[in-house]
Amino acid sequence: MNSRLVGFFIWRALCGALALAVATRSSYAHPVSISRALVYVRPDEITAEIEVFLEDLYLFHTLRTDSRDYLSATEIGRGIQLHRQFIAERFQILDIDGRPLVSKLDSTTWQPPASGVPLAELMDHQLTFSLRFDLDEAPEFLTFVQKFTDGGAVLPSEMTLHVQQEQQPESEPVALRPHEPYILRLRWDGPPLSMGDGREQQVAWLVKAKQETLGISSYSSTYSFLYVENRQVRHEILIPLQTLLLDLPIEHEHRDFLSPEEQRGAAAVVGDYFAKGLPVRINGATVEAKFEKCDFFGLATKDFARDANDRDVSLANGRVGVILSYRCPAFPETVSMSWNRFTESMWAVDVVILAGDRIEKRTLSRVGNRQQLEWESPLPHRVVPFSPLRANDLPQSLSLSWTAILGFDIAILIWLVGWRILRPRLTKSPSTPAVFAAAVVALVVGWFAHSRIWQSDPISTAEAAQIFAPLHRNVYRAFECPTDGEVYDALALCVDGELLEHVYRQIHQSLDMQDQGGAIAHVTSVDVSDGTVQQTVHARSEPSFYYVCQWDVAGNIEHWGHLHERRQRYVASFRLNVINGYWRITHWDVLDEQPLGTTVTVREFSR
Ligand SMILES: [Zn+2]
């Protein structure tokens, strides 16, 4: 016995009782081809044992019986040779790119009774065919396909597939129907899980697995993400190519692959298929779908935001990502969608609806008339209007500062001195109304001196921050506006005209996440710190100051059920001026810029 197979046989022995139970039960319940595959995966080799009933040989190769209705030992021997070839061709394990691994077939050790086997007892005999597949490296993905019966067969073959990875917890068997691939992801880096591992370690292992696949952990399911935003509703659909092909034939020259050219040719057809099959209404009105893109992906793709369609994609394990968008006539209060694109192998689909921070999941099904999705906005959502900053709204310009008091004092002094000079011989004190009138005049003169002439107060750090922060915040908020025109209008409320173009380009560039398909990030926070006033400029009517500060911007983009957040730090020098009574940023010079890191989070939804 090959010593490398010891592990496999130990595991097989453990499964033996179950296999026997399945076989015995099946022999009475189901006379059609039922087989069992026990697959053991090591980093450098896969071994598979395919167990079939003797009846399969009779059915698939039309063996001849003798006059007693017996299959002779010779005829069975012929059947075994034919079935070896049959299994080698029709049981396939595909690599990550959908290419079949080369198998080596070991001969079966089963010997038929010399007298042959009566036809009525064919289901009482099981044969095992052993296959070996050499691997160049530990596989991340394996795709299993059995084609024992042709597609559309009245009585399709069924296989119970049990895949066990070396040094991993015992796995569960799955049912493998003909021509319906089963895709498995394997991890080799993580520590093996055993009964002795703590709960914490197991949870950490699962979280890591989820993060590695960005939450898309099933390779046979269809995913649907519906993003409800201010400007649009966006629908992202990820469907196994195999599932799509059941309802939408796509021309392809190669039997097992779609070429890049064929993918590009099919993109619009697939888009149209979903656009027509998933009608959407927003606020009660039907909105036409805009086809954004359609890409074909292999198993290696984790983030479906990337452009694809540049390499062959396997029909067995390829996936198709489609994005449709629907322009909102106003902020979406209600969204409804009808799913009319179920296939023979997809009877239900989970639609995840993401609206701001709120995430929910709805299951649509062709069974029980549950094809309709109805969503209602839970909260009234409006964009907070921009508010330009009036110069005289500021606390420091309304307060009686020391210059105002000094001005008042000087005015009083001037009045008293003047009164003494002009009225030298007058000994009587001025009347109360006269003093009161003089005080009012002095106050007005002092106030005037403070606000219109001297303006000599250096602006404090706290005051500067009060002016700067809202203007700076509005610059980023402007980019939430749906059109460029509206972005400029909003920017004009906080940035001087000559600087508009410069600021627009600078912010737009900083939010443009080229590494994520050029999506524009949504800013979630802007934190200003370390602000210092460099210089206060004294002007009669339009005060200004120079300000240097640091700020961190967090922005995110969200697609395919996960969220990218990027943080960036900036240091810049600004000048702020009062123009026509309102504060505006008139100078913006970035002194330093550094990335603080990017995180990817898989979104959780309420069930
Ligand atoms: Zn992404």
Side-chain angles (χ1 to χ4, degrees):
M1 183 191 290
N2 184 343
S3 61
R4 298 174 67 78
L5 298 179
V6 169
F8 168 69
F9 283 117
I10 292 171
W11 167 69
R12 216 197 132 208
L14 291 171
C15 298
L18 175 65
L20 191 63
V22 169
T24 309
R25 190 171 61 247
S26 304
S27 67
Y28 293 106
H30 209 305
V32 193
S33 170
I34 294 188
S35 53
R36 177 178 171 84
L38 307 175
V39 180
Y40 193 74
V41 186
R42 300 166 57 92
D44 57 349
E45 183 187 63
I46 299 171
T47 52
E49 295 219 330
I50 316 293
E51 297 171 348
V52 299
F53 290 102
L54 183 54
E55 193 186 57
D56 278 12
L57 275 61
Y58 172 70
L59 291 172
F60 285 124
H61 310 298
T62 49
L63 302 183
R64 289 184 296 274
T65 54
D66 61 18
S67 56
R68 300 171 301 155
D69 266 351
Y70 268 57
L71 281 182
S72 69
T74 314
E75 188 66 0
I76 290 172
R78 187 174 74 87
I80 289 173
Q81 291 308 315
L82 289 170
H83 212 63
R84 284 184 65 194
Q85 196 57 33
F86 178 89
I87 285 178
E89 287 171 3
R90 295 187 178 228
F91 177 77
Q92 291 184 323
I93 303 180
L94 314 179
D95 68 10
I96 190 169
D97 297 318
R99 303 192 188 280
L101 300 173
V102 179
S103 63
K104 293 174 194 157
L105 194 64
D106 293 338
S107 60
T108 176
T109 53
W110 187 77
Q111 290 294 328
S115 58
V117 177
L119 211 52
E121 293 175 12
L122 295 183
M123 290 297 280
D124 295 343
H125 296 275
Q126 262 194 305
L127 295 79
T128 303
F129 293 87
S130 303
L131 295 166
R132 278 191 298 120
F133 304 83
D134 289 332
L135 296 167
D136 295 332
E137 57 182 352
E140 186 187 355
F141 288 100
L142 292 173
T143 302
F144 299 86
V145 192
Q146 63 99 344
K147 301 174 180 173
F148 286 8
T149 45
D150 294 326
V154 179
L155 295 172
S157 57
E158 283 182 20
M159 176 180 270
T160 304
L161 173 70
H162 198 163
V163 186
Q164 182 61 47
Q165 185 185 353
E166 186 183 56
Q167 293 190 353
Q168 291 294 321
E170 191 174 330
S171 58
E172 292 292 319
V174 294
L176 193 64
R177 291 172 54 79
H179 301 271
E180 289 183 14
Y182 169 68
I183 301 163
L184 186 66
R185 180 167 184 265
L186 304 105
R187 292 179 63 195
W188 300 95
D189 56 336
L193 290 180
S194 69
M195 294 299 284
D197 288 330
R199 168 92 181 133
E200 211 170 282
Q201 192 181 352
Q202 294 195 16
V203 169
W205 193 84
L206 291 171
V207 167
K208 187 162 178 259
K210 193 173 184 182
Q211 195 72 19
E212 282 170 357
T213 57
L214 293 176
I216 309 280
S217 54
S218 167
Y219 300 92
S220 55
S221 302
T222 296
Y223 287 84
S224 161
F225 300 101
L226 200 64
Y227 293 89
V228 182
E229 299 167 352
N230 287 9
R231 303 168 57 176
Q232 64 171 9
V233 171
R234 192 172 81 254
H235 194 189
E236 298 173 347
I237 306 148
L238 186 69
I239 184 168
L241 181 50
Q242 184 81 204
T243 306
L244 178 66
L245 289 173
L246 290 172
D247 205 35
L248 180 71
I250 296 174
E251 297 269 322
H252 52 100
E253 207 165 282
H254 192 285
R255 191 190 58 178
D256 299 322
F257 293 94
L258 272 190
S259 70
E261 209 167 82
E262 288 162 345
Q263 294 163 31
R264 287 191 286 272
V269 178
V270 177
D272 194 50
Y273 168 79
F274 284 108
K276 290 193 173 132
L278 313 174
V280 165
R281 292 166 71 85
I282 300 173
N283 299 347
T286 302
V287 180
E288 202 176 330
K290 181 180 174 225
F291 169 60
E292 297 284 351
K293 64 188 299 201
C294 169
D295 290 294
F296 293 75
F297 304 100
L299 287 176
T301 305
K302 303 279 194 301
D303 192 334
F304 305 96
R306 312 288 167 86
D307 286 336
N309 303 350
D310 57 355
R311 58 193 303 180
D312 285 354
V313 163
S314 157
L315 302 189
N317 62 21
R319 289 173 290 179
V320 189
V322 183
I323 304 181
L324 301 170
S325 68
Y326 304 83
R327 190 86 189 168
C328 296
F331 180 77
E333 305 285 354
T334 61
V335 176
S336 66
M337 180 177 72
S338 170
W339 191 293
N340 304 312
R341 290 304 185 211
F342 293 104
T343 74
E344 203 181 299
S345 67
M346 183 186 60
W347 286 64
V349 62
D350 288 337
V351 181
V352 179
I353 308 159
L354 302 99
D357 295 333
R358 196 180 164 88
I359 306 176
E360 49 194 300
K361 187 182 83 169
R362 308 281 176 83
T363 302
L364 303 181
S365 168
R366 75 191 303 175
V367 183
N369 200 21
R370 288 162 52 209
Q371 298 180 221
Q372 188 72 20
L373 176 145
E374 300 290 348
W375 178 88
E376 201 169 316
S377 177
L379 295 168
H381 182 111
R382 298 284 179 271
V383 176
V384 180
F386 295 100
S387 46
L389 194 64
R390 285 178 66 89
N392 57 5
D393 286 345
L394 296 171
Q396 95 281 356
S397 62
L398 290 172
S399 65
L400 279 176
S401 67
W402 68 268
T403 46
I405 295 164
L406 182 67
F408 173 78
D409 291 345
I410 291 170
I412 288 285
L413 192 64
I414 291 170
W415 183 79
L416 286 174
V417 170
W419 185 75
R420 285 286 180 194
I421 292 169
L422 292 173
R423 312 285 286 271
R425 284 181 295 278
L426 200 66
T427 53
K428 199 178 162 190
S429 297
S431 64
T432 304
V435 170
F436 182 74
V440 170
V441 168
L443 188 61
V444 169
V445 169
W447 175 253
F448 186 79
H450 163 70
S451 62
R452 307 293 293 178
I453 299 173
W454 290 336
Q455 275 289 339
S456 56
D457 281 355
I459 202 154
S460 73
T461 302
E463 289 164 343
Q466 272 187 302
I467 299 165
F468 175 77
L471 293 177
H472 187 248
R473 195 165 50 241
N474 273 353
V475 167
Y476 281 95
R477 279 180 40 191
F479 283 83
E480 291 174 20
C481 293
T483 65
D484 279 354
E486 288 168 87
V487 173
Y488 272 103
D489 288 349
L491 277 180
L493 298 177
C494 38
V495 174
D496 184 44
E498 290 179 18
L499 198 62
L500 272 179
E501 182 70 23
H502 172 72
V503 171
Y504 175 87
R505 281 177 191 281
Q506 193 160 289
I507 304 296
H508 193 275
Q509 200 176 0
S510 72
L511 299 178
D512 191 351
M513 293 179 85
Q514 282 298 338
D515 54 342
Q516 293 305 325
I520 297 297
H522 168 67
V523 172
T524 51
S525 69
V526 180
D527 300 321
V528 181
S529 58
D530 297 344
T532 52
V533 179
Q534 298 290 299
Q535 185 190 350
T536 303
V537 180
H538 315 303
R540 285 175 60 88
S541 58
E542 296 186 345
S544 72
F545 63 95
Y546 286 92
Y547 190 65
V548 173
C549 69
Q550 167 186 297
W551 74 99
D552 296 346
V553 184
N556 64 35
I557 65 153
E558 185 158 23
H559 51 219
W560 302 111
H562 65 269
L563 188 140
H564 297 257
E565 185 178 71
R566 187 173 65 177
R567 294 185 72 83
Q568 195 88 356
R569 174 163 294 173
Y570 300 89
V571 177
S573 156
F574 297 91
R575 181 172 179 176
L576 291 96
N577 286 60
V578 172
I579 298 173
N580 299 328
Y582 292 94
W583 283 104
R584 296 277 194 279
I585 298 171
T586 55
H587 176 81
W588 182 312
D589 185 17
V590 175
L591 306 174
D592 189 28
E593 176 181 350
Q594 50 177 302
L596 297 180
T598 305
T599 57
V600 181
T601 318
V602 178
R603 294 296 294 262
E604 301 285 347
F605 48 82
S606 47
R607 291 174 186 276

